[in-house]
Amino acid sequence: MSDTIARHPTFRTSFALNGYSEPLQLVHKAIELPVRIVDLRGHTDCAQRAEIDALVADERSNELDIGKAPVIRVTVQRLTDDEFQVTISENHIILDGWSWSSSFAEIFERQQALISGDAGYADRWPQVGVKVADFVGLERDAANDPAAERFWKSELADITPRHVADLRPAGKPVVLRRHVPIDAATSRRLREIAASHGVTLKSIAAAVHLRVLAEVEDTGHPLTGMLFHGRPESAGGDQVRGLFWNVLPIGVDVAGRRWIDLAASVLDAERRLLPHRRVPLSRIQRWHGRAELFDVGFNYVSFHRYNQMYRDGVLEFLDYHPESRENSHYALMATYSIDPRTMNWACSSRMTQTGCPANGLPRSRRCTPRGCGDLRRALNLITISVRWRLTSRRT
């Protein structure tokens, strides 16, 4: 783990929101990552579960101070000689999903290499030439590009900002997660449909999301925030760790459209936005003249590094703790993902809410005051707790 931290500066950063002419991400030369190792091998299964539950509850109630490095905590609870529970809390400000999964895979691949006595360990993970600062430069260039300003003003000229019922009243929020697995036959059929019609699984998922959103908002032209990655597209760009995504407004006409035509329209809109995907949402909203264009988001993830880790047999995934979650300040965030073990689809929805009915949809569209800064900071906390089994050991 210490070698991974040394290779990736994002783990050694803190954030100065004051004291400089602008907010800065500060990279520290060296830090000590707080890693706790707890041996629970002598405990019963029931006692182990109680210890894990207590840890996750404690982690979720303790925010991370982004002004102090590192902005991450790790606890490893050893359950048997081969099984262990890893609980990681971090602030989303330092890692996006790609960076999270790639770093997690690297840590355990390094562990396996050390266990097996890999003679090429020192050369297997070279230093990364691309830096987060390179992305910051690209983002600043995009924000000051006249062509990008013209594009976004034109793109949003006829857009009506829309919001689902505001589920974020002042006070402590409640974040609920709904997970819907999609069976193997349906997943396979969707891949076949995408391939035969020249669209992507992502565009099909976004079409479903927008059609549902149209029903909720009672509109023929729903608007959502789609996550786009802006990491540098240069040698080593896939290895750099940090937060590189942006949330961009995207909407299409859904009324009277066939599903496959709707998916094609989403794909066309996505391609149209790509050259200008690095313009910060805050700048786009300023150009449009509104503080907030939407309070719903869409994400599509397929983490290839997990696929490789499972194929290589480094670890066997056992289960997620039910309280593992990534919060969101959006009223609704819909995420479609590919299970790296089965390659089946799944859909997860996170709702920030209080007082909603059991089906997770608001009873009314009454809005309450929004804009609580403390709430937005708290909702950046991510706590993931996973049980693993080592699949090979040194003999």
Side-chain angles (χ1 to χ4, degrees):
M1 189 171 290
S2 61
D3 290 341
T4 301
I5 293 171
R7 185 175 183 238
H8 302 294
T10 193
F11 290 105
R12 309 193 308 274
T13 59
S14 61
F15 295 82
L17 304 183
N18 301 298
Y20 298 91
S21 60
E22 60 182 334
L24 293 178
Q25 181 176 4
L26 306 177
V27 180
H28 301 259
K29 185 175 182 180
I31 61 148
E32 182 176 345
L33 180 66
V35 179
R36 288 193 293 162
I37 309 294
V38 182
D39 193 343
L40 299 178
R41 285 179 293 177
H43 294 57
T44 64
D45 289 347
C46 184
Q48 287 181 348
R49 176 53 61 182
E51 290 284 345
I52 294 169
D53 290 346
L55 170 66
V56 173
D58 182 65
E59 285 293 318
R60 292 198 55 76
S61 64
N62 286 289
E63 295 181 28
L64 288 154
D65 183 357
I66 65 174
K68 298 178 180 178
V71 193
I72 186 170
R73 294 187 297 258
V74 180
T75 300
V76 179
Q77 294 167 301
R78 195 168 183 184
L79 308 177
T80 70
D81 288 346
D82 295 307
E83 294 182 12
F84 53 95
Q85 189 89 14
V86 179
T87 301
I88 301 176
S89 292
E90 56 105 348
N91 191 292
H92 214 334
I93 199 170
I94 65 168
L95 292 171
D96 57 28
W98 176 309
S99 298
W100 169 282
S101 61
S102 297
S103 299
F104 196 77
E106 180 178 330
I107 289 169
F108 284 103
E109 286 168 353
R110 286 179 179 273
Q111 170 77 5
Q112 180 65 18
L114 291 172
I115 290 174
S116 64
D118 186 351
Y121 178 90
D123 300 321
R124 186 171 168 184
W125 290 275
Q127 289 300 307
V128 181
V130 178
K131 306 297 182 185
V132 173
D134 298 324
F135 165 71
V136 174
L138 292 171
E139 190 177 54
R140 288 191 170 188
D141 290 344
N144 295 297
D145 181 7
E149 181 175 359
R150 289 193 298 271
F151 169 82
W152 280 111
K153 285 183 175 180
S154 173
E155 189 73 12
L156 300 176
D158 299 322
I159 288 294
T160 300
R162 300 184 183 277
H163 302 86
V164 300
D166 194 319
L167 305 175
R168 298 162 294 168
K172 190 174 180 62
V174 176
V175 179
L176 301 181
R177 184 173 184 267
R178 300 284 187 265
H179 181 74
V180 181
I182 300 174
D183 63 80
T186 302
S187 297
R188 182 173 58 254
R189 180 59 181 149
L190 287 170
R191 286 193 292 270
E192 292 170 352
I193 291 173
S196 64
H197 288 84
V199 297
T200 64
L201 286 174
K202 179 181 178 180
S203 59
I204 291 177
V208 173
H209 169 70
L210 287 167
R211 178 63 65 83
V212 172
L213 194 57
E215 294 292 329
V216 172
E217 296 179 339
D218 191 23
T219 179
H221 193 94
L223 183 71
T224 192
M226 179 180 286
L227 270 72
F228 283 77
H229 272 278
R231 64 175 50 242
E233 296 176 325
S234 55
D238 62 329
Q239 293 297 312
V240 64
R241 309 287 192 260
L243 179 63
F244 302 103
W245 54 252
N246 191 13
V247 185
L248 299 176
I250 188 169
V252 297
D253 290 320
V254 303
R257 308 288 293 278
R258 295 189 309 155
W259 280 107
I260 199 63
D261 294 334
L262 182 54
S265 294
V266 171
L267 182 58
D268 288 342
E270 186 178 356
R271 287 170 173 165
R272 191 169 62 250
L273 303 185
L274 277 178
H276 308 289
R277 68 190 181 280
R278 295 190 179 98
V279 179
L281 176 61
S282 59
R283 182 62 60 89
I284 294 171
Q285 291 180 151
R286 188 186 312 165
W287 288 337
H288 188 264
R290 287 187 60 96
E292 189 174 46
L293 290 169
F294 47 80
D295 65 355
V296 177
F298 168 85
N299 192 18
Y300 180 87
V301 296
S302 179
F303 297 134
H304 69 289
R305 294 292 282 112
Y306 282 159
N307 301 350
Q308 181 179 341
M309 190 169 66
Y310 289 131
R311 287 196 307 268
D312 293 346
V314 176
L315 291 172
E316 178 185 355
F317 168 86
L318 298 179
D319 66 48
Y320 275 106
H321 189 279
E323 291 303 312
S324 293
R325 65 183 63 181
E326 172 188 345
N327 292 340
S328 172
H329 71 270
Y330 287 109
L332 172 66
M333 174 61 73
T335 299
Y336 288 78
S337 59
I338 302 293
D339 188 321
R341 296 162 297 165
T342 64
M343 300 308 292
N344 293 342
W345 257 22
C347 176
S348 299
S349 296
R350 299 193 305 277
M351 303 190 73
T352 307
Q353 61 182 16
T354 57
C356 281
N359 66 3
L361 291 177
R363 286 195 173 94
S364 70
R365 295 176 184 162
R366 179 180 60 86
C367 291
T368 56
R370 57 168 67 94
C372 175
D374 290 337
L375 169 61
R376 289 176 182 265
R377 284 193 293 272
L379 286 175
N380 283 326
L381 179 67
I382 301 174
T383 297
I384 304 294
S385 187
V386 184
R387 186 166 181 168
W388 300 92
R389 177 185 293 126
L390 284 173
T391 55
S392 60
R393 297 170 61 86
R394 183 169 55 187
T395 58

